[in-house]
């Protein structure tokens, strides 16, 4: 067994964030995980949301549009500071 499922999920989300450009939502990450990391199975939206909150606290990503009702929150990577 290679690492915990949680650890593999966090790593898969980090990979997504490294290649992400522009805006994205949890559904975009979920679609990518199902396609590229099928070994993780059908990942719960809540698990992805928890991982994204941690990345937001670390200033890796930011919320552009908060989710409300059936409308998903939209995120983007924080631009790297130059200088």
């Amino acid at each position: 067994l290679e690492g915990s499922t949680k650890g593999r999920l966090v790593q898969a989300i980090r990979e997504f964030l490294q290649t992400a450009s522009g805006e994205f939502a949890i559904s975009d990450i979920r679609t990518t995980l199902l396609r590229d990391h099928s070994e993780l199975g059908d990942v719960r939206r809540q698990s992805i949301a928890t991982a994204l909150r941690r990345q937001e606290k670390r200033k890796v990503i930011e919320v552009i549009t908060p989710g409300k009702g059936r409308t998903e929150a939209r995120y983007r990577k924080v631009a790297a500071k130059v200088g």
Side-chain angles (χ1 to χ4, degrees):
L1 191 69
E2 293 181 34
S4 68
T5 302
K6 181 180 174 187
R8 291 194 316 252
L9 173 62
V10 169
Q11 185 57 41
I13 290 174
R14 283 188 185 139
E15 287 174 21
F16 175 91
L17 293 176
Q18 285 174 355
T19 60
S21 61
E23 298 180 14
F24 57 90
I26 289 174
S27 61
D28 300 319
I29 296 174
R30 220 165 155 255
T31 300
T32 301
L33 293 180
L34 285 168
R35 185 188 67 219
D36 299 345
H37 295 278
S38 58
E39 75 279 2
L40 294 173
D42 191 11
V43 178
R44 290 174 38 232
R45 294 177 59 81
Q46 189 59 50
S47 300
I48 297 169
T50 299
L52 289 181
R53 266 196 302 281
R54 289 191 182 118
Q55 296 302 314
E56 186 185 355
K57 285 180 183 173
R58 292 182 179 132
K59 306 288 188 214
V60 174
I61 62 171
E62 60 188 349
V63 176
I64 307 169
T65 311
K68 187 174 184 181
R70 290 177 175 260
T71 305
E72 286 190 286
R74 304 287 304 168
Y75 303 88
R76 73 174 162 219
K77 289 195 291 190
V78 173
K81 303 264 190 298
V82 179

